[in-house]
Amino acid sequence: MIRDQTSCFTAFEGQRRIASGPLADVALAVKRAETRTTAPIAIYSDATGRPIDLDLRGSDDEIAARLQRTLPTEATEPRGRGRPKLGVVAREVTLLPRHWEWLSAQPGGASVALRKLVDEARRANGDRDRHRVARDAAYHFMSAMAGNLANFEEATRALYADDQRRLADLIAGWPDDIRDHVNKLAFGGAV
């Protein structure tokens, strides 16, 4: 099972993992590491596998306060009419006339019908969607950290073929921390 990694970040000093966890903890570990190394340090979002940039100037308290201000707490969409306390956000949807006719004929109207359809799709496809997001995060991380390592292209094919055993064989020679992080992102750590 893939764990929720939306609030987890991982920092690497070269090919060595130096911290993993909440962004504030990782940021402070990176700040400390920068004082003792000249190796490149990168922080990755475990949710996307993409690197992020942080402003690490100032004291630990200043960094933590700055991070708290920049972390999204709720939807960043402008609030308008409707039910903003419930998180309802108005957006444009483009459909063909036959779709609008069908939606209009549904009990509760188009909005209720669309919410029900989305909820049903999320229930039906939730595991597949989470797996796709995890696989994409692993790919983004692999591209950044292992793009020049042996077997990268074949490992990418195995990742997208969902062939865990082949992927494990192909990345066995990679640095331990990179290999382990690919497995964590793609498969929740299990191989």
Side-chain angles (χ1 to χ4, degrees):
M1 183 172 140
I2 307 299
R3 291 184 307 242
D4 177 29
Q5 298 172 342
T6 57
S7 62
C8 191
F9 297 82
T10 303
F12 281 80
E13 176 185 336
Q15 297 179 334
R16 186 177 68 84
R17 182 179 42 239
I18 57 174
S20 189
L23 186 55
D25 295 346
V26 171
L28 296 177
V30 166
K31 182 181 177 193
R32 287 186 292 278
E34 286 180 335
T35 64
R36 63 172 168 69
T37 186
T38 58
I41 296 178
I43 303 171
Y44 294 90
S45 164
D46 288 2
T48 65
R50 295 183 188 274
I52 63 165
D53 290 322
L54 295 178
D55 179 359
L56 299 178
R57 294 174 295 153
S59 70
D60 290 359
D61 291 338
E62 290 170 333
I63 293 169
R66 195 168 35 253
L67 290 174
Q68 190 62 34
R69 285 192 307 269
T70 60
L71 291 176
T73 54
E74 291 184 25
T76 57
E77 295 290 325
R79 290 188 174 195
R81 297 184 319 190
R83 299 172 149 184
K85 288 184 180 178
L86 296 177
V88 174
V89 177
R91 293 196 180 146
E92 181 179 340
V93 175
T94 306
L95 299 172
L96 295 172
R98 68 176 181 266
H99 299 134
W100 284 115
E101 289 171 19
W102 183 85
L103 284 170
S104 297
Q106 300 307 303
S111 292
V112 170
L114 284 171
R115 284 193 294 269
K116 287 180 180 179
L117 288 169
V118 168
D119 286 342
E120 179 58 34
R122 289 180 69 199
R123 275 191 295 279
N125 300 323
D127 287 341
R128 184 174 44 211
D129 290 344
R130 280 186 293 279
H131 182 70
R132 177 185 44 79
V133 168
R135 184 183 57 217
D136 290 348
Y139 169 74
H140 293 301
F141 174 76
M142 283 173 54
S143 294
M145 290 294 290
N148 292 327
L149 296 178
N151 301 320
F152 170 76
E153 290 178 10
E154 284 300 315
T156 299
R157 288 184 188 96
L159 174 70
Y160 278 96
D162 200 26
D163 189 343
Q164 283 183 264
R165 294 283 180 231
R166 178 146 173 75
L167 178 63
D169 290 344
L170 289 165
I171 67 175
W174 289 7
D176 293 347
D177 289 341
I178 292 175
R179 181 190 63 232
D180 293 347
H181 198 61
V182 167
N183 285 326
K184 173 187 172 190
L185 295 179
F187 309 112
V191 173

